[in-house]
Amino acid sequence: MNLISVEYEVIGPSAPVMTVSGEDVILPCSIKPNISAVNMRVQWIRLDLKDSIVHLYEDHKDINTDQLQSYRGRTQVFKEELEKGNTSLKLSRVQISDEGLYKCFIQSESWSDDVTVDLKVEGRPPVITVDGFDASGGLHLQCESKGWYPEPDLVWLNSEGVTLTSESTDTHRDDTDGFSVKHMITVYNTDSKYHCRVRMNHHMMEAEIITSMNVTLDADSAHPRLIVSHDGKQVRYEDKQHERVKNEGQNTFDECLCVVGNEGFSSGCFYYEVQVKGADWWCVGVTRESAQRKGRIRLYPQNGFWTLCLYNNSYYAHDNLRLSLSVKPERIGVFVDYEKSRVSFYDVESMSHIHSFTDQSFTEKLYPFVSLGSSGSLIICSDLS
């Protein structure tokens, strides 16, 4: 409430501020019309915690002697913005317990006003990972979500929305970061898309993984000496250059013996398997949509290729990182988590992890990618068994 009638007011967002546990968030608050708040008292308090102090700026400095312990080291006003009347609060490393009503109170020598900001905090989005294989070829899928309070419901569903029974579950609670839940299922060849859904009250988040049943190779992208089968599941080398019905286009590999998949993806998780048995020279993985297809190509991540390769009897991740493998893989599993910017490779037969590219940069569609030398063939596996 204003102490005297003035033309200034404190304004904030008209809708709740939404954020995710673990992230940083800005609670908007400013003076309208803009005047400097450098010489004013700026106080942020939690209305739902008996008006406890979250942050106090006064006499040109932060005074947080009486600040709530849980906010120590996590709050900040923007000193350079105070001159513009911007009194917003930055809250770092948001916790579930931060959800609530915040009052931004501004006071000068002649007037005061305040506004309430409603902060809503969701747990972190579920993360799907490949957690290995079983003896019969089943793929272990693990889904984990953190930062919830109270404990959320986490379920696996198939593409029809039918709930699947989790084979193992694990729940942990942290005093500041809330509940972490983890469920695992094993899938075979009964579906092509699986969803992991986490829900609590009005909060709901979902992640999905697409498995190998829909992968086919794009014959029009293949080098002229590579022959793609009619069903798009197999590629082999032919010494005589293949005569295509239509002329080679800009998407055709003209020097590198490569071919990409028909369908790309730009979100969620994706998994497919390639049988490499009998081939003496091969690469499998994914490539970005705009990656070079003409001339000599270096299979580096910075060039848009994330691959596992065999050539000269040695295994490599991208073009020059040599790997030491105790068992010669015959079937390679490729797992991509688009949001986590991660590409992982697995030896399906020995049920072991081979290599992962982490902290990559995905900004466009990714496509399955294979490359083949002059012997054998590569087969996109139609199921996971």
Side-chain angles (χ1 to χ4, degrees):
M1 179 181 295
N2 290 335
L3 295 176
I4 62 175
S5 178
V6 294
E7 55 183 330
Y8 302 111
E9 64 175 332
V10 176
I11 61 173
S14 57
V17 175
M18 306 295 295
T19 191
V20 174
S21 174
E23 300 292 326
D24 298 345
V25 69
I26 304 295
L27 302 183
C29 180
S30 60
I31 303 172
K32 182 181 180 182
N34 294 345
I35 57 171
S36 175
V38 171
N39 298 318
M40 298 182 185
R41 176 187 176 94
V42 179
Q43 185 177 40
W44 283 87
I45 62 176
R46 275 286 294 270
L47 293 177
D48 52 334
L49 293 180
K50 298 181 180 180
D51 293 349
S52 299
I53 295 176
V54 173
H55 192 95
L56 175 61
Y57 168 87
E58 191 174 27
D59 296 330
H60 305 104
K61 60 182 179 294
D62 297 319
I63 304 174
N64 292 320
T65 306
D66 298 323
Q67 183 185 38
L68 279 169
Q69 183 66 36
S70 62
Y71 289 93
R72 295 286 170 91
R74 297 197 298 125
T75 60
Q76 174 190 353
V77 293
F78 302 94
K79 303 291 177 60
E80 68 280 3
E81 291 290 317
L82 291 175
E83 291 185 0
K84 306 173 187 177
N86 182 357
T87 56
S88 300
L89 181 74
K90 179 180 180 180
L91 179 58
S92 301
R93 305 182 303 280
V94 171
Q95 305 166 3
I96 285 290
S97 58
D98 293 334
E99 180 169 294
L101 298 176
Y102 293 74
K103 183 167 77 173
C104 174
F105 175 75
I106 312 298
Q107 184 178 31
S108 73
E109 292 182 353
S110 60
W111 68 276
S112 69
D113 197 15
D114 63 74
V115 71
T116 298
V117 180
D118 186 6
L119 177 63
K120 301 291 187 184
V121 182
E122 293 184 322
R124 298 171 200 168
V127 175
I128 297 174
T129 55
V130 171
D131 196 40
F133 310 84
D134 66 14
S136 58
L139 181 69
H140 297 317
L141 299 179
Q142 177 179 282
C143 181
E144 183 176 17
S145 187
K146 301 178 179 180
W148 295 91
Y149 189 83
E151 181 181 350
D153 293 323
L154 188 148
V155 295
W156 279 98
L157 307 101
N158 64 16
S159 60
E160 304 298 322
V162 177
T163 300
L164 304 174
T165 301
S166 297
E167 297 164 20
S168 68
T169 62
D170 189 20
T171 303
H172 291 286
R173 179 181 178 180
D174 183 271
D175 290 338
T176 58
D177 204 27
F179 284 91
S180 169
V181 291
K182 185 188 303 180
H183 288 204
M184 191 193 77
I185 60 171
T186 300
V187 300
Y188 298 89
N189 60 339
T190 57
D191 213 331
S192 62
K193 185 182 293 186
Y194 299 89
H195 302 264
C196 175
R197 178 180 297 167
V198 61
R199 184 195 301 272
M200 189 196 74
N201 299 329
H202 60 282
H203 303 292
M204 196 274 282
M205 292 182 174
E206 190 170 279
E208 71 175 27
I209 179 171
I210 301 172
T211 53
S212 64
M213 278 62 107
N214 295 325
V215 175
T216 56
L217 298 175
D218 178 9
D220 290 333
S221 72
H223 183 280
R225 293 189 187 278
L226 293 183
I227 310 301
V228 176
S229 62
H230 291 297
D231 63 0
K233 294 292 187 180
Q234 184 170 350
V235 59
R236 60 181 174 83
Y237 178 88
E238 188 173 277
D239 191 47
K240 180 180 179 181
Q241 184 163 305
H242 181 54
E243 296 292 337
R244 287 200 173 86
V245 175
K246 65 177 184 178
N247 294 330
E248 293 179 12
Q250 62 178 359
N251 293 326
T252 302
F253 291 94
D254 63 351
E255 187 169 333
C256 180
L257 296 169
C258 307
V259 58
V260 301
N262 276 302
E263 299 296 327
F265 63 99
S266 56
S267 64
C269 298
F270 181 80
Y271 178 84
Y272 77 104
E273 294 178 0
V274 184
Q275 181 176 308
V276 297
K277 181 180 180 180
D280 296 329
W281 189 105
W282 51 260
C283 290
V284 301
V286 291
T287 182
R288 65 174 179 237
E289 188 171 30
S290 65
Q292 173 186 347
R293 298 191 184 184
K294 300 300 184 182
R296 186 170 182 264
I297 300 172
R298 303 301 298 269
L299 301 180
Y300 290 120
Q302 57 265 37
N303 294 338
F305 296 90
W306 293 267
T307 61
L308 175 72
C309 301
L310 167 66
Y311 54 89
N312 293 332
N313 295 316
S314 296
Y315 295 93
Y316 297 86
H318 64 72
D319 212 20
N320 61 1
L321 177 61
R322 188 169 180 174
L323 304 175
S324 178
L325 304 184
S326 59
V327 178
K328 184 176 182 178
E330 296 185 349
R331 185 162 170 161
I332 302 296
V334 182
F335 173 71
V336 182
D337 186 329
Y338 196 95
E339 279 69 31
K340 290 293 182 180
S341 301
R342 183 183 183 95
V343 181
S344 298
F345 298 92
Y346 298 87
D347 180 345
V348 178
E349 301 295 333
S350 67
M351 300 178 284
S352 61
H353 172 260
I354 298 175
H355 180 76
S356 289
F357 294 100
T358 58
D359 300 323
Q360 302 300 299
S361 178
F362 301 149
T363 59
E364 56 186 278
K365 273 189 175 182
L366 300 179
Y367 288 80
F369 170 88
V370 300
S371 182
L372 178 67
S374 59
S375 65
S377 64
L378 300 180
I379 302 173
I380 303 296
C381 302
S382 297
D383 57 58
L384 301 178
S385 60

